[in-house]
Amino acid sequence: MAFNDLLLKALHKEKTERPPVWLMRQAGRYMPEYMEVRKKVTFLELCKTPELACEVTLQPIDILGADAAILFSDILIPIEPVGIDLNFNPAPVIANPVRTQDDINKLRKLNPESDVPFVYKTIDLLVKKLNVPLIGFSGAPFTLACYMTEGAGSKSFIEIRKMMLNSPALFHSLMSKLTEDTIKYLQAQVSHGCAAVQMFDTWAGILPPAEYKEMVFPYVKEISENISAPFIYFAKDGSVYFDTIKELNCAGIGVDWKTTLIEADKKLDSKFTLQGNMDPAVLFSNKETVEKTAKDIIEQGKQCAGHIFNLGHGIMPQTPVENVKHLINTVKGL
Ligand code: CP3
């Protein structure tokens, strides 16, 4: 079968007959085939076993027909080898949160190829098998720092907020370290064959816009300018920052469902291919609602600089698989 390069065309803003479609968290617990593999190993073991990580990466391509694969891993994987005691339960738990300069000084620099060889082995296996583009990914420094300082998931991530307000130098030293590691981590994914990369900034949206602009955005920009493949930046709840984010010179911007694509395109000066933005909760409705919502988003996408169909955030566990299939078929015109 010919290589499906729709995603790459869309990222290069070439006209496509329909938008490419993939879904954030497309491999995961809503799929029985994922659960079958996951029964045998812990989540961390799954991420660290290339044959299994490869198998679950392929599931949404083979079973659902997505137009792109995303490496199966987690944003926190590259922080473990630099000195973070990480577990998943299933949410992340960190036994040694980073709160002081001494904690930061103890963190090693990441050597991607030797610290997380399984990531690159998984990519090597995948690029041999796939006939769709492989998307690599990382967390953004701020989102990684949220987990590293808090030690767990949170609604408010007060530890990073305290650090930003009371010890900005400490915050910047952590952000600089993570920025340096992230560039190396992502660039090595590209060297191994990832055709594009996405950086997830899941918690960026908790900040006042001025703080985001001054303390977080410069690191995002630096990373985006040091990766030699199309780069997609996704900040959940990031639409309030679009007049800052539009200063990026990358290929794509992920858009959540709290804005419309048309409004996002306008605020971003029609500079980017937009990726999104169906509310993942819609997948808990019925086929008619899924189809109607998807078609509206596709119509809006036609009026933007470029469009990759996706959700506005990851698929949730318990999502009915038949609705996910129906969504992908709708976008593909099947
Ligand atoms: O998109 C994909 O299909 C690729 C795999 C992927 C996972 N995590 C697998 C995963 C990706 C791209 C991520 C990114 C990730 N991880 C983010 C950014 C995207 C987002 O959702 O905002 C964040 C914030 C994390 C941190 C993380 N990992 C959390 C908060 C959790 C627990 C929440 C949950 O879904 O249970 C995880 C665990 C995790 N990451 C699972 C999977 C499939 C569930 C683990 C399991 O199988 O038990």
Side-chain angles (χ1 to χ4, degrees):
M1 232 206 294
F3 188 80
N4 171 349
D5 62 355
L6 269 184
L7 179 96
L8 302 175
K9 284 192 169 140
L11 284 168
H12 287 114
K13 300 193 189 64
E14 288 173 38
K15 281 267 168 279
T16 55
E17 66 275 20
R18 62 168 179 87
V21 53
W22 72 277
L23 306 174
M24 290 188 274
R25 293 285 191 97
Q26 62 189 12
R29 286 167 297 176
Y30 75 103
M31 277 180 104
E33 295 84 356
Y34 172 84
M35 291 312 293
E36 198 52 44
V37 177
R38 178 68 175 74
K39 266 197 324 218
K40 298 177 249 171
V41 287
T42 65
F43 175 64
L44 269 176
E45 284 165 345
L46 177 49
C47 293
K48 293 178 184 178
T49 311
E51 291 71 23
L52 296 181
C54 176
E55 183 180 343
V56 297
T57 302
L58 294 173
Q59 286 172 349
I61 312 308
D62 298 339
I63 300 164
L64 305 171
D67 291 312
I70 180 158
L71 169 70
F72 189 84
S73 183
D74 194 85
I75 58 166
L76 299 175
I77 286 291
I79 67 168
E80 192 184 32
V82 306
I84 296 293
D85 182 342
L86 173 69
N87 261 299
F88 285 88
N89 186 24
V93 189
I94 289 168
N96 56 342
V98 173
R99 308 255 167 95
T100 64
Q101 188 63 55
D102 193 43
D103 294 337
I104 296 173
N105 294 344
K106 279 195 206 131
L107 299 174
R108 282 206 295 106
K109 283 184 194 231
L110 181 73
N111 298 307
E113 302 272 357
S114 52
D115 284 339
V116 288
F118 48 86
V119 167
Y120 301 104
K121 181 96 188 295
T122 305
I123 296 172
D124 293 343
L125 291 175
L126 282 165
V127 290
K128 279 189 222 142
K129 295 193 175 183
L130 282 166
N131 70 347
V132 296
L134 177 62
I135 303 169
F137 73 89
S138 76
F142 179 73
T143 290
L144 295 175
C146 282
Y147 286 106
M148 290 168 86
T149 52
E150 195 71 26
S154 165
K155 283 203 177 76
S156 54
F157 287 101
I158 195 63
E159 291 300 330
I160 195 80
R161 304 300 310 279
K162 276 160 50 184
M163 191 187 277
M164 290 170 90
L165 291 163
N166 301 324
S167 324
L170 204 60
F171 173 79
H172 285 298
S173 84
L174 180 57
M175 291 291 280
S176 301
K177 185 252 182 303
L178 289 168
T179 296
E180 195 184 317
D181 285 356
T182 301
I183 291 170
K184 287 191 281 182
Y185 180 60
L186 285 176
Q187 190 52 40
Q189 293 181 24
V190 174
S191 306
H192 280 259
C194 287
V197 297
Q198 171 155 328
M199 192 161 81
F200 289 89
D201 217 347
T202 306
W203 300 113
I206 66 175
L207 299 173
E211 216 172 322
Y212 172 81
K213 182 178 183 171
E214 188 197 320
M215 300 182 81
V216 171
F217 182 71
Y219 298 99
V220 172
K221 191 154 194 287
E222 183 179 345
I223 295 167
S224 72
E225 285 168 359
N226 281 284
I227 304 300
S228 64
F231 184 93
I232 304 166
Y233 177 59
F234 172 63
K236 185 168 167 278
D237 298 318
S239 54
V240 290
Y241 309 145
F242 277 169
D243 57 335
T244 296
I245 289 174
K246 76 179 181 197
E247 299 305 323
L248 291 175
N249 293 306
C250 65
I253 298 293
V255 181
D256 66 32
W257 65 95
K258 291 170 192 169
T259 179
T260 61
L261 286 183
I262 288 176
E263 208 179 326
D265 187 63
K266 209 188 298 167
K267 287 192 186 153
L268 292 165
D269 293 346
S270 301
K271 256 182 84 177
F272 306 92
T273 297
L274 302 186
Q275 178 175 275
N277 71 338
M278 195 172 99
D279 175 0
V282 172
L283 290 169
F284 289 83
S285 64
N286 51 58
K287 288 189 175 169
E288 293 68 40
T289 307
V290 167
E291 195 168 320
K292 188 170 164 291
T293 311
K295 285 183 171 165
D296 174 53
I297 291 169
I298 293 166
E299 282 311 308
Q300 291 194 43
K302 288 180 187 163
Q303 299 171 55
C304 300
H307 182 216
I308 297 164
F309 196 101
N310 206 312
L311 303 176
H313 194 210
I315 301 192
M316 292 182 268
Q318 330 285 315
T319 298
V321 180
E322 64 274 17
N323 287 347
V324 180
K325 281 189 186 154
H326 190 66
L327 171 61
I328 290 182
N329 286 340
T330 299
V331 183
K332 293 170 93 173
L334 301 176

